[in-house]
Amino acid sequence: MPVFGDDEEAGRPPAHAGIRETHVAVVVFLGEHAYKIKKAVSPGFLDFSTAAARREACERELVLNRRFAPDVYLGLGEFRFPGGEHPEPVVVMRRMPEDRRLSDLVRGGAEVGPSLRDVARLLAIHHAQAHRGPEVDAQGSRAALSARWEENFAQVCALTADGGPGGDLATGGVPEARELVRRYLAGRGPLFDERIRRGRIVDGHGDLLAEDIFCLDDGPRVLDCLEFDDTLRFLDGLDDAACLAMDLEQLGAAEEAASFLARYSEYSGDPAPPSLRHHYVAYRAFVRCKVALVRAGQGDAAAVTEARRLLTAALRHLRTSEVALVLVGGLPGSGKSTLAGALADRLGVTLLSSDRVRKELAGIPPEQPAPAGYGQGLYRPEWTDRTYAALLERARALLAAGETVVADATWSDASNRDAAGDVARSTGSALVALRCEAPADTAAQRLATRGPGPSDAGAPVARAMAEAEDPWPDAVAVDTGGDLEAAVRQALAAVRPHSPEPSTVFRRSYMEPG
């Protein structure tokens, strides 16, 4: 709700009058109040053609926005005109100070961290108290999200068809975005079912943007929720928060965006995987890309550049959201476990270790030695098959829940690698194979000096495994004979080829037990 000009005293609304007009409303600013009048229009997605419809819309705007800013939305007023058949309904609001608008604060380089924490807390509190129900849950389903994505893809293609502005988008980034979206959604049924089961789908804000947030001394005021279509306001709470994160990124505040999402997740107790956070930010960027293309079709030349920037942002987040099963293999002494742990830590993802799974299945602590010759004891073929089956079953559940998995094992048997490929395909996940390679003398030195741990393999076992291992031609060879950081960079380049170290990393602020 823009205010024109600045008052001499910061944080106070200006005394002079102002006006702002949108395609469906006119806002008049007088003194300390703002008066919002609905236009008598019917653009297709809403109908304000009658005074009764406008009154109902004003009343609904008051009810919905008072959930976030009760002291801003003061009530329903009327404008009366001589000879008019019906008084014109008007939403009466407390006028907000322009110098406290979040978008302007961000552009001006102000410190907004504390204000964003307050916004995150306010949003989490609202979501905790928000209306829920079957009609709300339906909009948070995988099918509903897929339908919204497909509608937006179709609209973008239609807007850019037949020489429309930004026509290169439909043949450039849009096909990749569509493929990444479809693959993510196809394998994530359990994730979206669990979001519904946990009550994460709420009647939220629907259009949380920095220009509609005012950072006052006594806390933020969040204005202008989406009121004309309930189904667009029924959404995953994380999707609601992702809208502001996307907007902050577009304002050049990527670190603040990531921090805001982390704080929202903390205050709401939401253990969503980072992949879902990136997916929702991508969705919001793509929707805004579509809106920019609409403006471009209306003659706004600068909007084409904006659309390209937003599509780039959507693609960056979709690529980062891609769920992957990363196989980190190699012979004993190759440094595979060290690399796997460092890689999982750098990516902020789940690490599964065949050595630990093997001993867990045997009912012994992972650090307890259980040495045996090649193919003997806990390393008999049937035990190995059981170990890999259990590891992959755990990986399957994690992948379906949106979690990328780094799987640390030798992966020397082609049949186990084929089984891993089946798991990746069935969960719509990428499969990345890394084979650790170190000089023979380095590997031997590591085995000779290694202390007790999950792995029991010594030099004789390593030699026997080298003779029996199947070729692995499709694996990316990673040099693990030297600097660990160099090996991690090489592995990251294979796992995230478009952006090994994305500028915005969404990590959990904590992990839920259980």
Side-chain angles (χ1 to χ4, degrees), residues 144-161:
L145 178 58
S146 176
R148 290 196 294 273
W149 268 112
E150 294 298 335
E151 180 180 15
N152 280 286
F153 286 135
Q155 290 169 339
V156 166
C157 289
L159 287 166
T160 55

Side-chain angles (χ1 to χ4, degrees), residues 315-338:
L315 278 171
R316 183 175 66 250
H317 283 285
L318 287 172
R319 291 164 179 164
T320 307
S321 77
E322 188 171 35
V323 177
L325 175 56
V326 184
L327 310 184
V328 180
L331 294 172
S334 64
K336 63 179 178 56
S337 295
T338 300

Side-chain angles (χ1 to χ4, degrees), residues 144-431:
L145 178 58
S146 176
R148 290 196 294 273
W149 268 112
E150 294 298 335
E151 180 180 15
N152 280 286
F153 286 135
Q155 290 169 339
V156 166
C157 289
L159 287 166
T160 55
D162 301 325
D168 56 311
L169 275 67
T171 57
V174 172
E176 182 187 353
R178 183 189 291 114
E179 174 60 27
L180 288 169
V181 166
R182 289 176 176 174
R183 182 156 69 171
Y184 184 87
L185 295 179
R188 245 46 65 196
L191 170 61
F192 288 96
D193 291 345
E194 182 68 5
R195 300 294 292 176
I196 293 173
R197 190 187 70 79
R198 286 177 174 249
R200 294 294 175 188
I201 317 305
V202 299
D203 183 347
H205 185 282
D207 193 26
L208 193 62
L209 299 173
E211 69 174 356
D212 296 324
I213 298 173
F214 293 85
C215 305
L216 307 188
D217 292 343
D218 59 347
R221 301 300 190 275
V222 176
L223 311 185
D224 284 349
C225 78
L226 196 155
E227 74 242 8
F228 65 84
D229 186 342
D230 287 349
T231 62
L232 297 179
R233 207 180 55 253
F234 296 166
L235 75 179
D236 193 311
L238 185 59
D239 184 5
D240 221 7
C243 186
L244 179 56
M246 177 276 300
D247 197 36
L248 290 168
E249 279 194 8
Q250 293 303 306
L251 292 170
E255 289 185 8
E256 289 82 354
S259 177
F260 167 73
L261 276 186
R263 296 290 77 76
Y264 168 78
S265 295
E266 177 183 355
Y267 298 142
S268 62
D270 187 353
S275 71
L276 188 62
R277 304 185 196 186
H278 283 285
H279 187 87
Y280 278 134
V281 173
Y283 172 73
R284 290 295 179 165
F286 195 83
V287 169
R288 188 182 274 194
C289 170
K290 178 190 71 175
V291 173
L293 287 172
V294 171
R295 297 204 321 273
Q298 296 170 343
D300 184 350
V304 176
T305 299
E306 181 184 354
R308 290 196 177 98
R309 185 180 71 247
L310 286 159
L311 179 57
T312 298
L315 278 171
R316 183 175 66 250
H317 283 285
L318 287 172
R319 291 164 179 164
T320 307
S321 77
E322 188 171 35
V323 177
L325 175 56
V326 184
L327 310 184
V328 180
L331 294 172
S334 64
K336 63 179 178 56
S337 295
T338 300
L339 175 64
L343 179 61
D345 182 65
R346 184 68 59 86
L347 292 170
V349 302
T350 303
L351 172 67
L352 295 179
S353 163
S354 64
D355 289 327
R356 291 180 175 275
V357 171
R358 186 187 303 269
K359 290 189 174 178
E360 179 187 326
L361 293 175
I364 61 177
E367 305 299 324
Q368 179 177 318
Y374 178 68
Q376 299 175 10
L378 289 185
Y379 300 89
R380 298 192 306 274
E382 58 269 28
W383 262 106
T384 296
D385 291 344
R386 183 181 173 190
T387 298
Y388 275 89
L391 183 148
L392 289 175
E393 201 51 41
R394 295 179 190 186
R396 182 191 303 276
L398 288 162
L399 295 166
E403 305 280 2
T404 283
V405 174
V406 172
D408 166 24
T410 60
W411 298 108
S412 59
D413 191 319
S415 65
N416 292 324
R417 302 197 297 263
D418 291 342
D422 291 340
V423 168
R425 282 187 292 274
S426 69
T427 57
S429 307
L431 180 69

Side-chain angles (χ1 to χ4, degrees), residues 114-124 208 213 220 222 244 260:
S115 294
L116 285 173
R117 284 195 296 272
D118 290 341
V119 174
R121 185 181 293 108
L122 175 66
L123 189 64
L208 193 62
I213 298 173
V222 176
L244 179 56
F260 167 73

